[in-house]
């Protein structure tokens, strides 16, 4: 199954994380969406932070290693790592994606 | 099941709605994506509006009340409230999310 | 089934493609998210491009024609066309969406 993984990061660390995921064949492509403001609950308080949202295209096979890589390279104690299932996609795109993720 | 709910709002009302959802434990966190332009069909015409996109992290248990809250606090007659299913996520994030949504 | 289709395009072509999809009743609405930077693998290299992300609301019935329309009107050899399934949504929004997509 193909997946779109949502991860939010402090803006300063977005490009390095995105590039690392593609270089290590953990993602075929990563969209970096800038200027996001996130409202969240932490320690009983409601807080707000500027973030960049990464939309990471990957597949089920590469997901476990992707999650490990993000946790090792992310500054937060509990980073958001949320995977949405792909229902259908252009066959040509899927061929390109799976080729980009393949280690062989 | 965890959900990512997409809601678009006029930019002026985004922060208040996002904060209200987190304060009422209807969302663990809300990403506010600014500067969106939306093209849509209304009354037989194709129109375009500046909007902010909210990406709301919640779960199936809290969804009915979340939908009611949005309808009560949204200026549109028919607001976009669309929930995407989460296929998998970091266990630590899910624990945090469900804790943030819990009323007990 | 309702779908949210993700397509990335060069910024200059976003509005025309989005409007064409709504005019041809292939989408009820399209959110255009500007200022995206995409990191991707192409021909063995890791590259980066400025793009606009389109979030296209449609349904399974209209998807095949939507995919054809995008391929015919997109400048890339292999455009990203990725459909996420909608798990649940406001009934009023779904009625409006299916009405906007209907050819009758």
């Amino acid at each position: 199954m193909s997946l779109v993984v949502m991860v939010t990061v402090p803006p300063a660390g977005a490009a390095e994380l995105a590039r690392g995921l593609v270089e290590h064949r953990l993602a075929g492509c990563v969209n970096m969406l800038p200027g996001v403001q996130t409202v969240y609950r932490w320690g009983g308080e409601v807080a707000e932070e500027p973030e960049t949202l990464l939309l990471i295209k990957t597949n089920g096979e590469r997901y476990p290693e992707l999650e490990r890589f993000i946790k090792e390279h992310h500054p937060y104690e509990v980073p958001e790592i949320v995977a949405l299932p792909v229902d259908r996609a252009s066959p040509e795109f899927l061929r390109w994606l799976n080729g980009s993720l393949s280690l062989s």
Side-chain angles (χ1 to χ4, degrees), chain A:
Chain A
M1 171 191 279
S2 300
L3 298 168
V4 176
V5 181
M6 293 171 64
V7 173
T8 49
V9 288
E16 190 181 342
L17 182 56
R19 193 165 272 273
L21 291 168
V22 175
E23 284 166 356
H24 288 78
R25 293 185 178 270
L26 295 169
C29 62
V30 179
N31 309 129
M32 296 185 281
L33 284 65
V36 174
Q37 283 291 118
T38 297
V39 181
Y40 62 102
R41 181 176 286 278
W42 190 257
E45 298 294 322
V46 174
E48 189 170 325
E49 285 291 333
E51 293 189 309
T52 293
L53 171 62
L54 306 185
L55 297 176
I56 301 163
K57 271 39 81 73
T58 189
N59 62 26
E61 231 179 286
R62 301 296 281 141
Y63 179 81
E65 199 180 328
L66 174 117
E67 188 176 298
R68 271 194 304 275
F69 184 93
I70 291 169
K71 287 177 182 171
E72 277 162 29
H73 296 83
H74 200 292
Y76 295 173
E77 188 191 323
V78 179
E80 170 179 306
I81 308 172
V82 168
L84 306 176
V86 170
D87 181 80
R88 66 196 82 179
S90 118
E92 297 82 357
F93 179 79
L94 286 183
R95 249 192 316 278
W96 167 80
L97 176 59
N98 292 320
S100 302
L101 295 168
S102 161
L103 300 174
S104 50

